[in-house]
Amino acid sequence: MNKIVKNIKEALNLCGIKDGMTISFHHHLRNGDNVINMTVNALQELGIKNLNLCASSLFQVHSPIISAFDDETITTVESGYIGGDVGVAISNGKLKNKAVFRSHGHRPSDIKSGKIHIDVAVIAAPTSDDMGNCSGKFGKSACGSLGYAMADAQYADKVIVVTDNLVSYPLCDFSIPETQVDYVVCVDSIGDPEGIVSSTTKITRDPAGLRIAKFAVDCIKNSGLLKNGFSFQTGAGGASLAAAMYLKEIMLKENIKGSFCMGGITGYIVDMLEAGCFETLFDVQCFDLRAVESLKNNPRHKEVSAEHYASPTSKSCIADKLDVVILGATEIDTDFNVNVHTNSQGIIMGGSGGHSDVAAGSKLSIIVAPLIRARLPVIVDRVNCISTPGKTVDILVTQRGIAVNPAKKDLAERLKASGLPVFDIEALKNIAEDFSGKPEPVERGNKIIAEVLYRDGTVIDEIMNYCG
Amino acid sequence: MIRSLMFLPGNTPNMLINGDTLGADALILDLEDAVSPSEKDSARVLVRNYLKNLKARKQFFIVRINSTDTDYWQDDLSEIIPVKPDCVMPTKVNGDKMLNKISDFISSLEKKFDIPEGTTKLLPLIETAEGVENAFNIASANNRIFGIALGAEDLSADLRCRRTKEGSEILYARTRLICAGRAAGVEIFDTPFTDVNDIEGLCKDINFARGLGFSGKLVISPRHIDYVNELFSPTEQEINYAVEVLECIKEAEKLGKGAVSLHGKMIDAPIVARAKQVYEAAYPSGTRL
Amino acid sequence: MIKISQNAFAGTLESSDCLVTITPNESNEVNFEINSVVFKQYGNSILKAAQNTVKKFDISGADIKIQDMGAFDCVIEARVETAIKRALKGAK
């Protein structure tokens, strides 16, 4: 049996690609990915139309696919995160149908149940053997975990592995097995290593960011959750990583042995593992080279699927075992609803990722954000888009104070008693507006260009077009 | 109580905006070294507007002005004094004469803008050999003097000594300033620790300075603020002892006793004075007793 | 009325700052051009801050361009003031 096919176009033909099908991708190559663009280009050349692009995330690097919106090769997008010019294009109404957002945990749930039916899954694999046993841990384009691709490989009708490092059979340490793979294509390059993983992930030097991180860790310390067996997740951005740094100091000083850290893994979290802060790392996505190396070499650093990470319909998932998560926000409203989908003008610039999954699953969800970003207060009356419902958000931490969800009275009392600057969220909003002035409302368009599904399957919000 | 005094560059809105969130007890808005000569005009207008616009001042606001041997210092003061900073930090202060010149100019501005004379305090930065030798004259020059501060980097150049982390070359200047400041009844603030990333070295330096008798320390990195605050605050042990002493004295007064002892040790006036200092530092609003 | 006779600028394009450029024009008016990352939310506020500052100086015949990176009004005012003062330097 021979699975090797000479190029993507031929593989798509062999898969029986047709108008109106759903084609899926994963985003482990992040802003270095070349495979989505190559595949979409092949689809355009084949003249296929009306496709549903089901990509776990899209980034600035994918801006060439906007031309496939224009010629209606792609008319629907289903994703967890849409960044860069692709988000702007959708906000400007370039996509024929509505885009559909799902969280990272909700996606594999809907793939498994058949609510999303994938006709063809294209898996960018940094290393594969000729039968399709593949992994992200090795090769010049190594990205580490392939967690987001696993449901696609398992449930798609046809699976194409695209690699730039074809090795002889068998690749022993595979993440996706040959049993799920139909075809293997070897190309010169699946992506730009600089965009795939950072060589180092740096902690913010912004003093306000450090202040926010310190307050966030003070909240964790005084929540009563920081004890042996503690479990934790944090992002790779700004204050989140600085929070990990302060948390490590405290855990080492007070000799607290955590159980696991979930992520989005960076070198800083690897340091915490190696310093004994945690027993285990669960890894659905590596952010830097240290994380990739650790995943490869440390048996306590474990690759997990998106389903295992956060699927609401799995028999159980890691998100539900989390004690504390630290998350970001572009906006938060006075009901604690968080927006990570659009910017303050309502233009798509991101998405939930696992935001709403872990906010719901964890015991304590902390939003960290500067109170004011380029003059714009982060607290608004109503967010442009509800990504994560306020009932699952416990604390907002800014450099000028902390707001606790009124549903968590005990927590607010504990934090106040420890001397932290706890305010009503309205009062914090007023502080911001004292500095900035009240922003004038931004007009929204009248056409729905995207809908945001919550992890229970309901439409939690709709995003309108942007009218420049 | 002022333990940490953080420098903020005067012409960088992004740094000024969040300056009051960093945890420092005092902020020094810098018009001197952090601002290039071509931007002096711009910085003093920005700092003026920033201070004017600030709704609630929770910190002690100091403006560092350019030295009297430049053409800038009078323009600096003319812009700044009307918006009432708590304090002005003159630089390269050599003696009381220079300081009184600055003070007189401030007085004329206070008069012009209907500000009670003496409202604006002074925190002279001593950073020359001559300044160190005149420390007491400087510290007691006039009623505006709220404290004196040591600037060891410029001083080292003036002394032609080798600047080290351990700081044995500035030990004389440090102790001289402390003696002068305490004699004059003003606060004394230590030179900044300049290695941003050496936290261990920072803590050593703070503990040494505190042991010598400094009231607090200048800070150039936001990362250092929390350490300065913590290590210049009384420890729990010190606070508990101070409370015990003060309770003991109160009890003795009630009973009309003269001499008092605690844990078998006589409590005399200096011990009570020290206990009061510690107590006031720990409970600025006087909550515990 | 002092007519602006030379170019001047103040400020930077760093976050939370703005760059104000003044150029003389042939008219007796002061015209404003505002580019801002938060124009929709704060464009009017920025214009008002700039106009109020200009009122304090008795000037005419200038185009004032503000490139705003999310500066507070007090920063806009400071930069406009400095730019005007620089443009007036040496003028009668």
Side-chain angles (χ1 to χ4, degrees), chain A residues 372 400 430-437, chain B residues 17 20 53-54, chain C residues 72-73:
Chain A
I372 297 166
R400 289 189 187 276
N430 290 338
I431 291 174
E433 289 177 0
D434 272 350
F435 281 95
S436 297
Chain B
I17 284 164
D20 61 327
N53 193 54
L54 216 54
Chain C
F72 292 148
D73 283 344

Side-chain angles (χ1 to χ4, degrees), chain B residues 254-271:
Chain B
K254 236 191 256 169
L255 299 173
K257 274 208 272 183
V260 202
S261 70
L262 179 66
H263 305 314
K265 202 182 158 202
M266 281 295 289
I267 300 184
D268 52 12
I271 290 182

Side-chain angles (χ1 to χ4, degrees), chain B residues 40-213:
Chain B
K40 297 288 186 195
D41 57 341
S42 183
R44 60 174 82 97
V45 173
L46 183 68
V47 166
R48 182 202 68 197
N49 278 14
Y50 167 76
L51 277 177
K52 195 167 67 179
N53 193 54
L54 216 54
K55 283 248 159 78
R57 288 189 198 168
K58 288 187 191 133
Q59 291 80 13
F60 192 73
F61 278 92
I62 304 166
V63 178
R64 176 157 85 162
I65 59 168
N66 289 284
S67 81
T68 51
D69 56 16
T70 67
D71 297 331
Y72 307 123
W73 70 279
Q74 283 166 312
D75 288 342
D76 289 347
L77 288 172
S78 302
E79 286 293 357
I80 294 306
I81 295 300
V83 295
K84 297 188 229 171
D86 296 297
C87 182
V88 163
M89 174 182 268
T91 52
K92 301 192 183 72
V93 178
N94 286 332
D96 52 352
K97 231 166 121 188
M98 180 197 283
L99 213 47
N100 287 329
K101 187 163 102 179
I102 293 167
S103 183
D104 289 347
F105 191 68
I106 293 176
S107 292
S108 70
L109 289 167
E110 284 175 340
K111 212 171 194 177
K112 191 172 159 193
F113 293 100
D114 278 334
I115 299 165
E117 190 173 344
T119 299
T120 319
K121 301 290 166 212
L122 285 173
L123 175 56
L125 188 60
I126 297 177
E127 43 188 348
T128 60
E130 196 184 345
V132 172
E133 290 303 321
N134 289 330
F136 179 71
N137 282 344
I138 293 169
S140 54
N142 57 56
N143 288 336
R144 293 184 189 275
I145 311 292
F146 139 83
I148 52 176
L150 176 64
E153 302 316 309
D154 278 286
L155 177 64
S156 306
D158 202 24
L159 294 176
R160 299 181 213 174
C161 66
R162 192 168 291 149
R163 186 80 175 94
T164 66
K165 253 185 201 171
E166 295 68 36
S168 50
E169 71 284 358
I170 58 164
L171 181 60
Y172 169 73
R174 277 172 152 170
T175 50
R176 175 98 196 217
L177 256 66
I178 289 161
C179 199
R182 294 297 171 213
V186 302
E187 305 292 335
I188 318 104
F189 300 105
D190 192 28
T191 191
F193 187 75
T194 52
D195 187 342
V196 174
N197 296 316
D198 181 7
I199 298 300
E200 202 181 315
L202 169 75
C203 292
K204 237 189 210 167
D205 197 49
I206 299 169
N207 278 325
F208 183 67
R210 191 187 172 204
L212 290 178

